[in-house]
């Protein structure tokens, strides 16, 4: 079985995140980039498919040269190889543009199952896996809290507000996983050392058959044209409890005043 | 007169609260843009819900009265929405910005060459009647305004509690049955069963008007019984920080934060939660925030409208008593 794990480089949540005022894309200067935290779960799930089914797992990242440490980081969990699609024309793509690049990259690779994270930690749209599924004409079993592969069938517990749907499809298929699915392991020292020499193939848009004009900021179907920082919140009322819980009365008064009771 | 479509998200034959919020908002926006509001109901039960949809502003109801809508994953709904867009000639659709519906919108956007903006907290009518969407990004640190490129079908995923529910007092809508032919691909991924695990009496945190959440400070899983008691006094949903779900004190599905759920209630109450940025990314857009924490330096107090510095095991039981007294 061949598995592909698309991963994303995102600005560190703890860092100060900024947008470039000129093109309103994420300003990567001065903020540390990390492997998207949600990918720890998709990578762990792929590692389990390796352990259980001997799956061969390839990392896929769309991003510039400077994102290469993120590819190596993903490989350090014990994955086999990586493909990075790098092209200046990709910059500024929206979720659907990114999906077009990923879909074309996947068309240039061999796979049975693609394991996405359900949402990136920066944009958080959740749109990419289903959009890729539509572009490729394959099922997208998203928000998986449980994943099982039996022969050429994949079974997923697809999380929703009330619980989950048990769904199944024949491979090839795409899945996205939520954090409930597993407890990710850390990379081992051996994995970190081995990651440095795992094969990494770098491809351009031309290599995967994407026209420059079809992606990037200019081709985005949705455009952000204005942004402003969240207005600072006025200081709230903070009371010190005397150790008896009596401050709860003041809190209850406040809640009643705001009509929450 | 053009139509603005609202995809009704429903559960057990009832429109979810977010659907009535979307209809209420669409009624005002459509009036301003010189359009009318049409609801779209996929799956069984649309005709029975027509009256309530009309009361909230739907002049027309497109429905597909078929169990197939939810018997297969995502695609039947995409096929049906394509039929609804074609029957109505609409170029704008509002949908509930929840996991499964986002998938439907993503596939629809690819199919009809549309654009999608998710997690919308406000909408305004711009030039040519096109809608402009407000959305908070980076965990609520930045407030952005976006629009879908001219000429493309615009799909807006609306966050729960972004708009109030306002009955327009409209009469029952004209109903139109959609003619949907499923493609072969649409039946490739089957739904074999539906497991419901949430409390029937407690709202889901995604759409609850009030959310109470517990964190590391609870110290153990029994602490969540206390949080549930508090929740049930004020009709709240119960969430948790990642520290609490990772410790196994509460199920992962209720985790609020960067890698979990995003909630946007009118009131959020966090107990024993320090308010690390990863948690704030999932709740910062709440309209009112209450914090109970013994550490006066906890960052959550910086965004709290009301904070109590104290032992949650003293404050919360007392709060439950006080709230019960006020309820009478």
């Amino acid at each position: 079985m061949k598995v592909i794990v698309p991963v994303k480089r995102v600005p560190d949540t703890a860092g100060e995140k900024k947008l470039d005022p000129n093109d309103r894309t994420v300003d990567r200067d001065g903020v540390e980039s990390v492997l998207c935290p949600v990918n720890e779960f998709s990578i762990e799930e792929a590692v389990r498919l390796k352990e259980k089914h001997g799956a061969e797992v390839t990392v896929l990242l769309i991003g510039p040269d400077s994102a290469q440490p993120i590819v190596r980081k993903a490989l350090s969990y014990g994955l086999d190889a990586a493909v990075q699609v790098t092209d200046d024309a990709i910059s500024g793509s929206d979720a659907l543009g990114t999906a077009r690049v990923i879909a074309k990259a996947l068309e240039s690779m061999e796979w049975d199952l693609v394991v996405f994270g359900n949402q990136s930690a920066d944009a958080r749209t959740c749109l990419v896996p289903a959009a890729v599924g539509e572009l490729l004409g394959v099922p997208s079993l998203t928000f998986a809290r449980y994943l099982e592969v039996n022969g050429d069938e994949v079974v997923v517990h697809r999380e929703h507000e009330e619980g989950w749907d048990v769904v199944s499809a024949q491979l090839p298929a795409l899945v996205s996983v939520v954090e409930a699915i597993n407890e990710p392991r850390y990379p081992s020292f051996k994995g970190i050392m081995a990651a440095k020499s795992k094969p990494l193939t770098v491809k351009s848009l031309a290599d995967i058959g994407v026209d420059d004009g079809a992606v990037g900021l200019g081709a985005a179907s949705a455009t952000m044209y204005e942004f402003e920082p969240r207005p600072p919140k006025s200081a709230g009322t903070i009371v010190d409890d005397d150790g008896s819980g009596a401050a709860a009365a003041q809190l209850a008064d406040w809640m009643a005043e705001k009509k929450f009771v | 007169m053009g139509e603005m479509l609202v995809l009704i998200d429903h559960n057990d034959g009832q429109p979810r609260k977010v659907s009535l919020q979307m209809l209420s908002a669409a009624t005002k926006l459509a009036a301003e843009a010189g359009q009318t509001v049409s609801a779209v109901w996929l799956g069984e039960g649309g005709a029975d819900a027509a009256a309530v949809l009309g009361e909230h502003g739907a002049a027309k109801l497109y429905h597909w009265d078929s169990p197939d809508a939810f018997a297969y994953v995502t695609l039947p709904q995409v096929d049906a929405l394509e039929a609804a867009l074609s029957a109505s000639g609409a170029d704008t659709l509002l949908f509930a910005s929840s996991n499964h519906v986002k998938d439907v919108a993503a596939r629809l956007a690819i199919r009809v060459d549309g654009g999608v903006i998710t997690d919308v907290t406000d909408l305004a009518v711009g030039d040519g009647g096109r809608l402009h969407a407000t959305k908070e990004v980076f965990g609520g640190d930045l407030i952005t305004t976006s629009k879908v490129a001219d000429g493309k079908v615009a799909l807006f995923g609306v966050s729960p509690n972004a708009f109030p529910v306002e009955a327009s007092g409209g009469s029952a809508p004209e109903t139109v049955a959609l003619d949907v032919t499923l493609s072969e691909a649409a039946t490739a991924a089957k739904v074999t069963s539906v497991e419901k695990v949430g409390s029937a009496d407690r709202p889901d945190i995604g759409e609850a008007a009030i959310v109470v959440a517990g964190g590391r400070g609870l110290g153990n899983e029994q602490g969540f019984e206390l949080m549930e008691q508090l929740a049930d006094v004020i009709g709240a949903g119960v969430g948790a920080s990642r520290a609490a779900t990772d410790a196994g004190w509460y199920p992962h599905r209720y985790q609020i934060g960067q890698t979990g759920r995003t909630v946007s209630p009118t009131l959020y109450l966090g107990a024993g939660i320090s308010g690390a940025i990863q948690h704030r990314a999932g709740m910062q857009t709440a309209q009112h925030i209450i914090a109970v924490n013994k550490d006066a330096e906890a960052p959550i107090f910086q965004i709290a409208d009301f904070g109590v510095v104290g032992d949650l095991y003293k404050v919360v039981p007392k709060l439950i008593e006080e709230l019960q007294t006020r309820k009478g």
Side-chain angles (χ1 to χ4, degrees):
Chain A
M1 181 170 53
K2 289 190 163 64
V3 173
I4 294 176
V5 182
V7 301
K8 189 176 183 188
R9 174 180 74 155
V10 299
D12 186 3
T13 310
E16 190 197 352
K17 294 166 292 288
K18 286 185 292 192
L19 294 179
D20 183 325
N22 295 314
D23 63 3
R24 296 170 299 280
T25 59
V26 178
D27 183 356
R28 312 250 172 207
D29 294 336
V31 53
E32 200 191 339
S33 288
V34 297
L35 173 67
C36 180
V38 182
N39 285 133
E40 291 172 24
F41 302 94
S42 56
I43 290 171
E44 172 67 28
E45 209 53 29
V47 170
R48 292 181 186 199
L49 291 169
K50 266 179 85 66
E51 290 166 348
K52 197 165 176 197
H53 301 286
E56 192 183 304
V57 184
T58 303
V59 174
L60 171 64
L61 180 138
I62 314 297
D65 286 343
S66 59
Q68 210 184 96
I70 304 301
V71 177
R72 294 292 174 196
K73 166 81 180 180
L75 284 167
S76 72
Y77 289 85
L79 309 186
D80 300 300
V83 171
Q84 180 174 357
V85 180
T86 296
D87 204 305
D88 290 345
I90 298 168
S91 174
S93 296
D94 64 353
L96 300 181
T98 304
R100 288 180 208 282
V101 179
I102 293 175
K104 280 292 186 182
L106 289 173
E107 276 180 358
S108 74
M109 301 162 77
E110 278 181 45
W111 50 274
D112 304 291
L113 184 67
V114 180
V115 185
F116 288 91
N118 71 314
Q119 60 179 355
S120 63
D122 53 354
R124 309 188 74 187
T125 68
C126 305
L127 295 174
V128 169
V132 173
E134 184 69 19
L135 288 161
L136 295 177
V138 297
S140 50
L141 311 182
T142 47
F143 309 101
R145 66 192 310 285
Y146 173 83
L147 164 70
E148 185 183 305
V149 177
N150 303 313
D152 57 0
E153 185 193 50
V154 58
V155 177
V156 153
H157 294 182
R158 206 171 164 243
E159 195 156 78
H160 53 65
E161 289 83 353
E162 280 79 35
W164 57 86
D165 293 349
V166 179
V167 304
S168 63
Q170 298 292 305
L171 300 176
L174 315 180
V175 300
S176 80
V177 305
V178 298
E179 108 19 303
I181 197 167
N182 58 41
E183 283 185 33
R185 284 163 283 187
Y186 293 105
S188 65
F189 180 69
K190 194 175 142 214
I192 293 166
M193 295 313 287
K196 293 175 181 159
S197 56
K198 292 282 173 67
L200 164 63
T201 310
V202 178
K203 298 183 180 187
S204 67
L205 285 182
D207 292 337
I208 58 170
V210 176
D211 179 20
D212 280 7
V215 297
L217 199 58
S221 56
T223 321
M224 181 216 304
Y225 62 89
E226 213 173 75
F227 68 91
E228 57 182 0
R230 186 180 190 76
K233 221 171 163 167
S234 53
T237 307
I238 309 292
V239 299
D240 281 308
D241 185 55
D242 61 8
S244 70
Q250 285 165 265
L251 174 52
D253 285 343
W254 185 87
M255 289 171 72
E257 187 191 310
K258 301 279 182 198
K259 308 218 182 319
F260 290 117
V261 192
Chain B
M1 194 184 267
E3 296 177 36
M4 186 180 290
L5 301 185
V6 176
L7 174 61
I8 304 300
D9 195 24
H10 54 87
N11 181 39
D12 288 336
Q14 301 296 321
R16 287 185 197 275
K17 199 172 63 178
V18 65
S19 301
L20 301 183
Q21 292 167 347
M22 287 192 292
L23 280 177
S24 304
T27 303
K28 289 183 181 170
L29 294 163
E32 201 180 325
Q35 298 181 334
T36 57
V37 177
S38 300
V40 183
W41 181 291
L42 307 182
E44 294 164 304
D48 294 338
V52 68
L53 301 176
E55 278 164 28
H56 292 86
K60 199 187 266 188
L61 167 64
Y62 294 96
H63 66 120
W64 180 37
D65 192 0
S66 165
D68 285 347
F70 297 98
Y72 307 97
V73 179
T74 311
L75 277 160
Q77 298 171 67
V78 181
D79 289 351
L81 283 178
E82 206 181 355
L85 284 172
S86 152
S88 63
D91 65 0
T92 303
L93 169 83
L94 310 192
F95 64 93
S97 203
S98 62
N99 292 353
H100 289 202
V101 194
K102 280 179 173 179
D103 274 19
V104 175
R107 281 184 177 263
L108 183 66
I110 294 294
R111 200 176 289 183
V112 303
D113 191 27
V116 192
I117 301 172
T118 62
D119 306 288
V120 169
T121 55
D122 201 7
L123 288 163
V125 178
D127 294 344
R130 300 283 283 178
L131 296 184
H132 295 220
T134 302
K135 162 173 182 161
E136 306 191 5
V137 301
F138 292 152
D141 288 350
L142 286 181
I143 297 171
T144 69
T145 317
S146 310
K147 60 181 178 183
V148 169
D150 290 341
K152 287 180 187 274
V153 175
L155 310 173
F156 297 101
V158 176
S159 291
N161 305 318
F163 300 100
V165 174
E166 288 163 305
S168 66
S171 51
E174 173 196 348
T175 58
V176 180
L178 288 171
D179 185 13
V180 181
T181 312
L182 289 186
S183 55
E184 196 181 323
T187 58
K190 295 178 189 63
V191 177
T192 49
S193 67
V194 178
E195 306 293 326
K196 297 201 173 182
V197 297
S199 160
D201 305 324
R202 204 172 291 134
D204 176 68
I205 53 173
E207 67 172 7
I210 307 180
V211 169
V212 303
R216 193 190 302 272
L218 287 181
N220 55 53
E221 61 182 295
Q222 286 76 32
F224 277 93
E225 290 170 19
L226 183 65
M227 297 309 290
E228 288 181 348
Q229 282 173 31
L230 171 63
D232 293 344
V233 177
I234 47 179
V238 180
S241 71
R242 185 160 173 193
T245 57
D246 277 356
W249 302 339
Y250 215 57
H252 276 284
R253 53 182 284 104
Y254 302 112
Q255 196 242 116
I256 295 168
Q258 185 187 41
T259 57
R261 307 277 301 274
T262 300
V263 299
S264 50
T266 47
L267 176 66
Y268 163 98
L269 185 156
I273 288 181
S274 66
I277 189 160
Q278 288 82 356
H279 183 71
R280 294 210 304 272
M283 49 63 71
Q284 190 155 236
T285 57
Q287 286 163 30
H288 297 90
I289 295 170
I290 295 172
V292 180
N293 201 298
K294 66 180 181 206
D295 176 9
E297 303 300 315
I300 196 160
F301 286 121
Q302 291 163 18
I303 56 166
D305 299 288
F306 198 102
V308 178
V309 181
D311 178 356
L312 73 92
Y313 280 103
K314 293 279 195 273
V315 175
V316 175
K318 195 85 180 168
L319 179 62
I320 293 171
E321 270 177 42
E322 293 281 348
L323 292 171
Q324 274 166 339
T325 312
R326 279 166 179 74
K327 277 175 74 181

